[in-house]
């Protein structure tokens, strides 16, 4: 309450500047003010902050955030390799038994129950788990969203160059080259996977690369670089494992 002719002086501390992690963490004017709290990476903050710190550490040595993104992606693929290896082995076995699966489909026609039972028996006989291929994708979802937040929210990626025509990783590729390359790698990866027997599922799988490419057209180019690198490494891993499995 302010009485007549009474004055009250209220002091505020104001920060006006970029959301640069180094600046916010190194500020020394008032320890009680938690400026780094302005950097909100969302639900996967812990993962995002860890990835950001790792990229900044690598950038300190290589002097390029684009190379840092690629190297972090390589490290993630190495860490997740045991899970991916199991998935790709399962896919290789699925491709082997696909002729038998088609015969069962022709044999039972519209009898879904009989077909499902025969399919389960076939999977059990060859030791195949059709659901195992989903795990690498599920694990990558929080990593993808964490990377999205890091590149979108971190000041350090503003006007950070990838090279050639891309001079800002925090905005879209001006010529859409990276998203198109990413879409092509998705199509190639899809051709390596066992094809669904159901026509509807097959149609959905064929449309997915187009939908993802359309979405990625307007995503930050740094994020598209991460996903493109991830796809290329996945294709290499899958090719080696499937060739080894015959």
């Amino acid at each position: 309450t302010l009485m007549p002719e009474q004055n009250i002086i209220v002091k505020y501390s104001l920060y006006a500047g970029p959301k640069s992690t180094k600046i916010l963490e190194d500020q020394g004017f008032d320890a009680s003010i938690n400026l780094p709290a302005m950097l909100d990476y969302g639900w996967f903050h812990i993962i995002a902050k860890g990835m950001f710190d790792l990229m900044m550490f690598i950038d300190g040595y290589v002097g390029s955030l684009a190379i840092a993104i690629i190297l972090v992606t390589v490290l993630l693929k190495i860490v997740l390799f045991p899970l991916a290896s199991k998935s790709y082995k399962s896919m290789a076995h699925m491709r082997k038994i696909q002729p038998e699966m088609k015969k069962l489909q022709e044999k039972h026609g519209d009898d879904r129950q009989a077909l499902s039972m025969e399919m389960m028996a076939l999977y059990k006989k060859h030791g195949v788990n059709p659901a195992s291929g989903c795990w690498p994708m599920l694990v990558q979802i929080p990593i993808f969203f964490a990377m999205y937040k890091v590149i979108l929210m971190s000041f350090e990626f503003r006007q950070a160059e990838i090279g050639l025509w891309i001079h800002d990783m925090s905005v879209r590729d001006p010529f859409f080259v990276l998203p198109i390359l990413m879409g092509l790698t998705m199509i190639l990866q899809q051709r390596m996977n066992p094809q669904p027997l159901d026509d509807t599922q097959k149609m959905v799988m064929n449309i997915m690369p187009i939908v993802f490419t359309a979405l990625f057209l307007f995503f930050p180019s740094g994020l598209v670089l991460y996903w493109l690198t991830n796809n290329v490494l996945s294709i290499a891993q899958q090719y080696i494992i499937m060739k080894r499995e015959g």
Side-chain angles (χ1 to χ4, degrees):
T1 302
L2 186 63
M3 302 304 293
E5 299 184 4
Q6 181 184 2
N7 294 323
I8 294 178
I9 297 175
V10 181
K11 294 182 179 180
Y12 295 95
S13 294
L14 174 69
Y15 171 78
K19 284 187 179 180
S20 167
T21 304
K22 183 172 175 56
I23 294 174
L24 297 180
E25 290 180 346
D26 292 349
Q27 65 86 13
F29 57 85
D30 191 341
S32 66
I33 300 174
N34 184 19
L35 286 183
M38 288 196 296
L39 294 165
D40 182 14
Y41 293 126
W43 291 351
F44 305 108
H45 183 93
I46 295 175
I47 300 173
K49 187 63 170 66
M51 291 171 68
F52 173 83
D53 290 340
L54 182 57
M55 281 189 282
M56 293 302 109
F57 175 78
I58 295 172
D59 179 55
Y61 285 94
V62 300
S64 169
L65 281 172
I67 295 175
I69 288 175
I70 293 171
L71 291 178
V72 166
T73 309
V74 172
L75 289 173
L76 286 171
K77 295 300 287 184
I78 292 171
V79 171
L80 298 175
F81 180 74
L83 189 61
S85 177
K86 187 176 180 182
S87 169
Y88 295 145
K89 283 180 181 177
S90 178
M91 287 182 184
H93 295 155
M94 286 280 286
R95 284 181 70 94
K96 280 184 180 180
I97 65 173
Q98 202 155 29
E100 295 181 60
M101 292 166 65
K102 286 182 179 179
K103 286 180 182 178
L104 289 175
Q105 188 181 33
E106 292 169 1
K107 176 183 175 183
H108 294 287
D110 296 329
D111 190 347
R112 296 286 180 180
Q113 187 175 357
L115 179 62
S116 296
M117 291 178 68
E118 291 273 14
M119 285 286 193
M120 293 303 293
L122 184 65
Y123 294 150
K124 189 176 181 180
K125 176 184 174 182
H126 292 277
V128 175
N129 181 6
S132 64
C134 302
W135 289 112
M137 181 60 71
L138 291 175
V139 171
Q140 286 185 66
I141 289 173
I143 296 173
F144 172 80
F145 280 107
M147 182 69 81
Y148 175 76
K149 279 289 190 178
V150 166
I151 295 173
L152 193 67
M153 298 291 295
S154 300
F155 174 78
E156 288 76 6
F157 286 92
R158 304 285 177 91
Q159 298 179 2
E161 295 192 6
I162 290 179
L164 299 176
W165 66 94
I166 300 176
H167 305 293
D168 190 342
M169 283 198 286
S170 67
V171 298
R172 66 174 177 82
D173 180 340
F175 300 115
F176 307 116
V177 175
L178 287 181
I180 291 170
L181 288 175
M182 189 219 68
L184 292 174
T185 58
M186 284 192 70
I187 293 171
L188 179 57
Q189 195 172 13
Q190 193 182 84
R191 293 291 181 268
M192 295 173 72
N193 296 336
Q195 298 301 305
L197 297 178
D198 183 72
D199 290 336
T200 304
Q201 289 181 2
K202 192 179 293 184
M203 183 181 68
V204 171
M205 294 300 291
N206 289 334
I207 292 173
M208 274 184 66
I210 300 171
V211 173
F212 269 78
T213 302
L215 285 173
F216 274 73
L217 288 176
F218 303 99
F219 276 19
S221 54
L223 182 69
V224 184
L225 175 65
Y226 158 72
W227 201 250
L228 173 61
T229 306
N230 182 74
N231 282 0
V232 171
L233 294 172
S234 296
I235 289 168
Q237 285 183 346
Q238 189 169 351
Y239 176 78
I240 292 168
I241 291 171
M242 293 184 80
K243 189 175 181 180
R244 190 175 64 196
E245 294 293 320

